[in-house]
Amino acid sequence: MKVATVFENKGSLEASHIEDIQLASSKMTGAARRAFQAEMAMKYCGGIARRAEDIFGWSRQAVQLGLHEKRSGIVCLGHHEFCCGAKLWEEKHPEVAQALWALAESHSQQDPTFRTTLSFTRLTAEEAIRQLRAQGLTEDVLPSRSCMSEVLNRNGYRRRPVIKAKPQKKSRKPTPSSPISRPMTELAKVKPSCA
């Protein structure tokens, strides 16, 4: 038996559609979830948060906040999102990061097999710090050795020995004494193999 929910001049939703909308909402988090819930509340509930709470089982406050965000165009951040979380070193010091990328590019080489998009570099974290110091950067903006290696790895500069292209091995040429190059004997011509 299919159960349909009817809304005032907005259409109807079957129970399976309601479950699909609830599942889609559960896969999202934060502002994306609130925006989706506000959109569904506008479409199926006439923009009423209480009706969305009754039909979809969502938090009335979350739907109301999503409707306010949609109306004003300003996305609200929670206290945790606003204050917590350490920024990446590249975000804290973008000028120094640009100098590091230029330095790493000058020391990097593409994988000789072209199987990956990574650049292999001979540049170590210690050497990168030493060369950045030589460019006149102060100690307070330079990361530690372990942080520098994480920054290089995170941005696609893997610390690997760079191997130049290896020459191809010479293929084995048949010699006159090998069975492959020996002419067929009269017996082999007359008597074919059993295979």
Side-chain angles (χ1 to χ4, degrees), residues 3 9-10 14 23 26 40-42 46-47 52 57 59 61 78 85 101 110 113-114 133 135:
V3 178
N9 299 327
K10 291 291 182 183
E14 295 180 0
L23 177 66
S26 70
M40 294 299 109
M42 292 293 291
S59 166
Q61 290 81 11
W101 304 151
Q110 178 64 35
T113 60
F114 295 105
R133 274 191 208 124
Q135 291 180 6

Side-chain angles (χ1 to χ4, degrees), residues 6-7 23 31 37 68 100 132 135 140 155-156 164 178 182:
V6 180
F7 310 111
L23 177 66
Q37 290 175 346
H68 286 307
L100 177 63
L132 288 173
Q135 291 180 6
D140 59 334
N155 290 286
K164 298 199 180 201
S178 69
R182 200 177 307 154

Side-chain angles (χ1 to χ4, degrees), residues 69-82:
E69 288 176 344
K70 184 175 177 61
R71 181 179 39 86
S72 67
I74 299 172
V75 177
C76 299
L77 293 178
H79 186 5
H80 181 75
E81 291 176 301
F82 182 70

Side-chain angles (χ1 to χ4, degrees), residues 90-141:
E90 305 91 295
E91 294 172 0
K92 289 180 188 175
H93 309 289
E95 297 85 18
V96 182
Q98 289 301 321
L100 177 63
W101 304 151
L103 181 67
E105 261 320 300
S106 67
H107 286 276
S108 66
Q109 177 181 339
Q110 178 64 35
D111 179 16
T113 60
F114 295 105
R115 290 185 186 151
T116 64
T117 59
L118 296 176
S119 296
F120 295 148
T121 182
R122 293 182 180 146
L123 183 68
T124 63
E126 291 175 7
E127 181 64 20
I129 292 171
R130 190 182 65 71
Q131 289 189 17
L132 288 173
R133 274 191 208 124
Q135 291 180 6
L137 297 171
T138 60
E139 282 294 322
D140 59 334
V141 296

